[in-house]
Amino acid sequence: MIRGCFKNLPRVRGKHNILGEPNTTVLLLGNEAIARGAMEYGIGFAAAYPGTPSSEVVETLSSVANELGIYVEWSVNEKVAFESAYAAAMSGVPSLTAMKHVGLNVAADPLMTSAYTGVEAGFIIVTADDPYMHSSQNEQDNRWYGLHAYIPVLEPCDPQEAKDLTYIGLELSEKLHHPFILRSVTRVSHVRAPVKLGIMRGSRAIGSFPRNPGRWTVIPENARKMKLRLLEKWRVIESNLSELPYNRIEGDGKVLIVASGIGYAYTSEAVETLGVEAKVLKIASPVPLPKKLVEKAVEGVEKVLIIEECDPVVELQLKALLKDMDLRVEVYGENLLGRRGELTLDRVLESMAKVFKVPWSIPELIKPPIEPPPRPPILCPGCPHRATFYVLKMASKRLKVDPIYSGDIGCYSLGIQPPFNAQDVIIEMGGSIGLANGFAHTVKERPVVAIIGDSTFFHAGLPPLVNAIYNRAPMLIIVLDNETTAMTGFQPHPGTGVKADGSPGKRVCIECIAKVMGADYVDVFDPYNVRTALEAVEKGFKVVMAGGVAVLVARRECSLNAARSGRLSGVYQVDTLKCIKCMLCLNELACPAIKVEKGFPKVVENLCVGCGVCNEICPVKAFSKIR
Ligand SMILES: Cc1ncc(C[n+]2csc(CCOP(=O)(O)OP(=O)(O)O)c2C)c(N)n1
């Protein structure tokens, strides 16, 4: 049985100030400022896969794409987004790709080689890093990629610089025929600040690609020549960056503070707060370090303090340079600041005070008056994932199996919480089916369930599904299809059939893919219909226990989207005369819209969205729709 329901449209953000007049100053989010920088340069192509804290870059561009004549797409994953934007830049069309830090791992293969071929038009790769892992699985510092791939990295300290450096990155990229990385972090991407706008040059969206295999094919014979040219170019890039006005020396003194990216914002405030006399080397291009400027800055200083967020990328390059210069100065940085989490004013103040040997205390301004109450994330009321987790648990109880839940990244990662406890391992986006493959061949006594979202399935679920079918790895794959990419802000994906600008694309059908790939059992169920969902899941488990691969698509629109559009509405309430106080609705479904009052479950009416799953699971049907 195959059902379909594809009503959702992408949420296109308001255009705010993004189309403001040149020379006006408007309030922009860091990511909007990056988009505006690209618009001012005249990009003709942008492709991305969403991920916090990067998503607003392409959301903003998609909201003006038709007006400005820019081709903008949500690609299925970061590798495809990278390749698409790279090819546009090969064809002479200035382009942008954007992703969260871990997204660059997915795109790392073409990234590493893009430095060898270079580009014809400006090509900027925006990576938004997430120190402290507000919404990520790791804290990797993507400036390393710059050193690793021979790609220069620009690092803005605020939204104004985010706009300016996007423009400059595209300009230098076009001039030097080389890709550029723009590294943002959460506190640059997600802060709103005044930004002075520049002139928009008009987009260049049509390219040409004259045949020249010696330039674009990296067969070993060509690649060896390219590597030599790359090493020469790296020196030219470095000297260009030494002249970048966003790298500069300010003030004077015996102590030099080297501040990269957002580190400069904290440094300025801390120097003022402590009232110390410091020489500051502001760095906007941490990779490669602008050597000439650094050599000038270290002249006559006794101590150097490096302020940068995450890893000692500037510090290691600087220490190497000092060694080459045979200059002996005390160097502080990672040893005082550590290498994890976000910088904060108090962290920077403390380390600066130690180097300057001055007293310090936490300024009144940053002492919170009260600690905010903890707010752990939970699945929303009406979330179809909750119903699917309920069904999964019920089915495994009834069949007396203890599955390994190979989890994945999306709203459904919250299935880790009780009462479901249905995410035993979560590593990376799209990892669930590949990991399940390993478990299936090694842990024989427990059935393996891979849990993957719809956007994640398209992102990285297809090759491991083919692998599982080909290598006969028994597993039950549940695709949680809420018809959107919910966790990152409701972006459309191939399963929705809607494109980034809201226009119709071609819908790609998940269950059809699974069937044509050769899965042993494929079905679609509506998680709100608990009885039929339970039947499908039980059948799926039986197929797995007989050695097959079962793919079940749990399809029901995200309750936030459905409630917002009026497709889901109503309020349920409990009839206390019928209720037998079994507390299944509280203990097994754990809907946040149900609480206990006078010993009975009670629906919190302003939280209930009217999904009715509580009544579906209630043995005496004590719930009824009251509005
Ligand atoms: C490589 C990578 N790219 C992007 C992300 C950001 N990200 C986390 S969850 C998610 C969306 C998941 O969407 P879906 O699978 O549809 O599940 P939903 O949140 O809708 O339940 C994205 C894009 C990531 N963690 N890793």
Side-chain angles (χ1 to χ4, degrees), residues 49-52 78 100 102-103 106 137 385 409-412 429 453-456 459 482 484-488:
Y49 184 73
T52 310
E78 293 86 354
K100 69 182 286 155
V102 287
V106 179
Q137 70 268 36
H385 300 342
I409 302 194
C411 292
Y412 48 87
M429 201 169 161
D454 44 351
S455 189
T456 308
H459 175 276
N482 57 0
T484 191
T485 315
M487 195 176 191
T488 46

Side-chain angles (χ1 to χ4, degrees), residues 121-165:
F123 178 32
I124 194 110
I125 302 147
V126 179
T127 162
D129 294 3
D130 185 14
Y132 191 63
M133 299 168 271
H134 293 282
S135 42
S136 306
Q137 70 268 36
N138 76 24
E139 202 176 42
Q140 71 187 47
D141 184 332
N142 274 0
R143 295 174 303 166
W144 292 121
Y145 268 118
L147 285 171
H148 195 22
Y150 293 95
I151 297 181
V153 180
L154 301 177
E155 193 182 18
C157 65
D158 61 18
Q160 178 71 57
E161 263 197 22
K163 180 187 86 69
D164 298 349
L165 291 179

